[in-house]
């Protein structure tokens, strides 16, 4: 699409950004001490709809549907949004591999609105019709199936597919002409590598395991990160502090919840410059990511209210808003 063709879509996104939740809106939601009060607050803000039950899953599910209904109405090239679905697509691949190889149905959760529907994904794995998968999935699917059938090692199966996910995201970012896709991809893969290092440091994984799990990416020396993880979590923190990831190091020292919050906030920081871009797909992609982040934050608050967690514990988990 040309710059002029994007101008109308971006103008509409700018109008919609006004209704995105700000930090102050999240504070208002936090002021609701019971889940039902939170749900009524959301309904008053237009979340859900007249035919949607006043229930968390129903309201949040409807909000996710609204995201893609809005984007669809703009008649833009939808291919630019493909990379945002990769995590869900590969999750469904992993779920299908485990269900087919173990013979246990219903034990895994499949995402909806993916490029390959659940039943088709199960058929592909059952019949080993890997050619029906996108190219980025084929090799990982075959290797994961063989690994799980031969070894029964579910963790190794996860590593194979998770690495393929990161490689697909990074490849899409490097090939894209859109700066926002490149920034999103690089940030997503860097954050995922750091998560792997932290998890491996805590569980004492080998260097070979980490090399298999991590994916080299711009801005992060994964070999040095893996060696730091071998020495323990404090060594990972020191590496992050020295390599420009000071906020991640501080979050790790604070708590696991604070670290997870930093991981999501890092993506928001990567896309925020798109607020000042008016003639590309950047603001549209950023809006989708911002809405997903908003929904995730609301879900965290609702879940915490359901479980009676104190405000301090909730604040530790709240993500940074786009606006």
């Amino acid at each position: 699409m040309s710059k002029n063709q994007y101008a109308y879509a971006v103008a509409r996104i700018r109008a919609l950004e006004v209704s995105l939740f700000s930090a102050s809106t999240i504070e208002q939601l936090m002021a609701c001490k019971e889940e039902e009060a939170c749900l009524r607050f959301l309904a008053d803000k237009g979340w859900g709809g007249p035919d949607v039950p006043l229930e968390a899953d129903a309201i949040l599910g409807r909000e996710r549907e609204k995201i893609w209904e809005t984007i669809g109405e703009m008649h833009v090239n939808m291919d630019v949004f493909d990379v945002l679905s990769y995590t869900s697509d590969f999750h469904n691949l992993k779920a299908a591999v485990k269900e087919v190889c173990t013979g246990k149905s219903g034990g895994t959760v499949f995402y909806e609105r993916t490029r390959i529907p659940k039943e088709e994904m199960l058929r592909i794995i059952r019949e080993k019709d890997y050619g029906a998968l996108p190219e980025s999935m084929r090799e990982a699917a075959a290797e994961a199936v063989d690994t799980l059938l031969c070894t029964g090692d579910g963790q190794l199966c996860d590593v194979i597919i998770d690495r393929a996910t990161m490689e697909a995201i990074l490849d899409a970012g490097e090939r894209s002409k859109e700066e926002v896709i490149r920034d999103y991809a690089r940030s997503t893969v860097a954050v995922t590598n750091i998560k792997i290092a932290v998890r491996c440091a805590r569980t004492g994984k080998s260097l070979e395991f980490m090399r298999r799990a991590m994916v080299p990416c711009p801005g992060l020396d994964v070999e040095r990160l893996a060696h730091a993880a071998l020495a323990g979590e404090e060594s990972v923190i020191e590496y992050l502090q020295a390599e420009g990831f000071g906020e991640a190091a501080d979050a790790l020292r604070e708590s696991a919840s604070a670290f997870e919050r930093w991981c999501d906030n890092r993506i928001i920081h990567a896309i925020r410059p798109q607020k000042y871009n008016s003639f590309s797909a950047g603001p549209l992609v950023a809006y989708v990511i911002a809405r997903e982040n908003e929904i995730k934050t609301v879900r965290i608050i609702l879940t915490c209210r359901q479980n009676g967690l104190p405000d301090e514990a909730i604040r530790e988990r709240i993500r940074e808003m786009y606006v």
Side-chain angles (χ1 to χ4, degrees):
M1 292 180 64
S2 68
K3 290 184 177 182
N4 289 335
Q5 287 174 309
Y6 274 121
Y8 165 75
V10 172
R12 186 170 175 200
I13 285 296
R14 293 288 178 253
L16 291 171
E17 285 177 353
V18 176
S19 63
L20 287 171
F21 282 8
S22 63
S24 62
T25 311
I26 293 297
E27 282 295 324
Q28 293 173 39
L29 181 60
M30 281 282 297
C32 303
K33 301 304 180 184
E34 303 292 336
E35 183 191 9
E36 184 176 350
C38 291
L39 294 174
R40 293 194 182 283
F41 175 87
L42 294 172
D44 288 343
K45 290 290 184 180
W47 281 46
D51 300 324
V52 178
L54 200 65
E55 299 171 356
D57 286 344
I59 290 174
L60 299 183
R62 179 64 188 126
E63 288 306 303
R64 290 202 75 210
E65 291 175 351
K66 288 180 183 178
I67 297 173
W68 296 107
E69 288 173 2
T70 298
I71 296 298
E73 291 167 359
M74 295 180 185
H75 305 293
V76 296
N77 180 8
M78 296 299 291
D79 290 349
V80 75
F81 300 98
D82 282 351
V83 69
L84 302 184
S85 71
Y86 284 3
T87 301
S88 297
D89 291 341
F90 279 87
H91 168 88
N92 282 6
L93 171 62
K94 188 190 301 182
V97 168
K98 290 186 173 179
E99 183 165 320
V100 170
C101 293
T102 65
K104 298 177 182 178
S105 61
T108 51
V109 176
F110 286 80
Y111 288 118
E112 298 180 356
R113 297 183 64 88
T114 52
R115 289 180 295 173
I116 302 175
K118 172 185 175 180
E119 294 305 322
E120 174 63 5
M121 184 69 83
L122 287 169
R123 182 201 67 77
I124 290 170
I125 300 304
R126 193 179 299 115
E127 299 177 7
K128 298 187 178 181
D129 182 18
Y130 304 130
L133 292 170
E135 187 175 353
S136 59
M137 286 185 169
R138 294 170 189 169
E139 185 175 341
E143 185 180 359
V145 168
D146 290 344
T147 296
L148 197 53
L149 288 175
C150 294
T151 69
D153 190 336
Q155 185 179 57
L156 183 53
C157 171
D158 289 347
V159 167
I160 292 166
I161 296 177
D162 289 344
R163 181 186 175 96
T165 307
M166 287 196 288
E167 289 174 337
I169 290 172
L170 189 60
D171 180 63
E174 297 306 302
R175 287 187 292 103
S176 178
K177 296 179 181 179
E178 298 292 342
E179 180 184 21
V180 66
I181 298 296
R182 185 168 59 254
D183 291 345
Y184 165 80
R186 291 178 176 179
S187 294
T188 297
V189 175
V191 164
T192 304
N193 280 324
I194 293 171
K195 283 183 176 181
I196 292 169
V198 171
R199 190 162 58 247
C200 289
R202 290 173 177 171
T203 56
K205 294 296 185 185
S206 68
L207 183 60
E208 180 184 358
F209 180 93
M210 286 185 273
R211 283 173 171 164
R212 184 159 193 172
M214 293 180 183
V215 171
C217 66
L220 193 70
D221 187 333
V222 294
E223 185 69 13
R224 288 183 58 204
L225 178 60
H227 277 89
L230 277 179
E233 186 171 337
E234 187 58 38
S235 181
V236 172
I237 290 173
E238 291 173 1
Y239 168 84
L240 294 173
Q241 196 79 56
E243 296 300 317
F245 294 91
E247 290 183 358
D250 293 341
L252 272 170
R253 287 194 174 101
E254 183 179 343
S255 68
S257 296
F259 174 64
E260 288 297 325
R261 180 187 65 210
W262 173 83
C263 291
D264 287 342
N265 288 349
R266 178 82 179 187
I267 306 301
I268 293 298
H269 292 168
I271 66 168
R272 188 167 279 145
Q274 296 305 318
K275 292 168 68 174
Y276 311 104
N277 186 345
S278 300
F279 299 103
S280 77
L284 281 67
V285 175
Y287 175 79
V288 172
I289 297 171
R291 280 287 279 141
E292 292 282 7
N293 179 66
E294 179 182 66
I295 292 168
K296 182 174 186 175
T297 301
V298 170
R299 183 180 291 281
I300 288 170
I301 295 173
L302 292 175
T303 301
C304 289
R305 287 295 182 223
Q306 287 172 356
N307 292 283
L309 295 183
D311 285 2
E312 296 76 17
I314 302 176
R315 291 188 191 284
E316 189 178 54
R317 293 166 168 80
I318 290 177
R319 273 50 176 171
E320 192 171 322
M321 295 294 101
Y322 179 65
V323 295

